Amino acid sequence: FRVEFVFKGQAVESGEFVEQRAAAFSVNIDDLITGSAPAEKPVASAPRKPAEAPAASIALVWPVDGRILSSFGAKPGGRYNDGINLKVTKGGAVRAAADGTVAYAGDAIPGFGNLLLIKHPGGWVTAYAHNEALLVTLGTKVRAGEPIARAGSSGSVDTPQLHFEVR
């Protein structure tokens, strides 16, 4: 799979594989998508629909202007970053990386503070954590580049930053 960012007219590819990233992620996606509300129990006689395989690529715009504080992958002390952390100005606009629908908006996931998850066509999801304030709610349809939050330092961080993931 390929993730492509469009930044100031130039495409930048990520060398990370979705399968590797997914294997390291331990949060229950059903809890995130339903806002930690219990998911509906499937009817025993209903056939299960297979999960949608993500599209081979997605074009994204950068959600904020800012330098990378922490890159994707393994970190000292056995830690692992499932996304990237970008330095931001507190209160600055956090923008949707692509068109989609808000699948989660809240602060119930420990460490992430005010978190947004946006589902995009093709099976992709982007995550935006540590926001000062959320400007959209569950079910809101957003467009690429639209402000969705105000940057901050909520959750387990001390300095204003955006934790951004592509799932």
Side-chain angles (χ1 to χ4, degrees):
F1 294 107
R2 189 180 90 207
V3 175
E4 182 178 285
F5 286 95
V6 178
F7 179 64
K8 298 187 182 186
Q10 293 183 314
V12 180
E13 285 189 32
S14 167
E16 305 301 334
F17 293 98
V18 173
E19 295 86 356
Q20 290 171 329
R21 231 191 119 288
F25 196 75
S26 63
V27 173
N28 182 330
I29 193 69
D30 289 336
D31 284 348
L32 295 177
I33 291 173
T34 62
S36 295
E40 290 183 25
K41 300 271 188 232
V43 177
S45 61
R48 293 185 61 96
K49 182 180 176 181
E52 177 186 1
S57 67
I58 183 174
L60 303 171
V61 296
W62 283 99
V64 294
D65 289 330
R67 69 178 176 86
I68 294 176
L69 293 172
S70 179
S71 60
F72 175 86
K75 302 293 168 211
R79 299 185 70 190
Y80 195 88
N81 192 349
D82 288 322
I84 59 174
N85 292 58
L86 300 162
K87 182 179 173 108
V88 296
T89 301
K90 187 173 181 174
V94 175
R95 301 179 184 279
D99 295 354
T101 304
V102 176
Y104 176 83
D107 64 357
I109 311 300
F112 288 104
N114 292 317
L115 171 68
L116 285 172
L117 295 179
I118 299 177
K119 291 174 72 171
H120 305 283
W124 295 94
V125 175
T126 52
Y128 312 77
H130 305 308
N131 299 293
E132 175 181 84
L134 304 179
L135 304 178
V136 294
T137 59
L138 182 66
T140 303
K141 295 201 180 305
V142 297
R143 306 289 286 165
E146 177 182 342
I148 55 173
R150 284 197 314 268
S153 55
S154 65
S156 63
V157 297
D158 298 334
T159 60
Q161 59 189 275
L162 175 69
H163 175 76
F164 178 69
E165 295 185 23
V166 178
R167 302 176 181 172

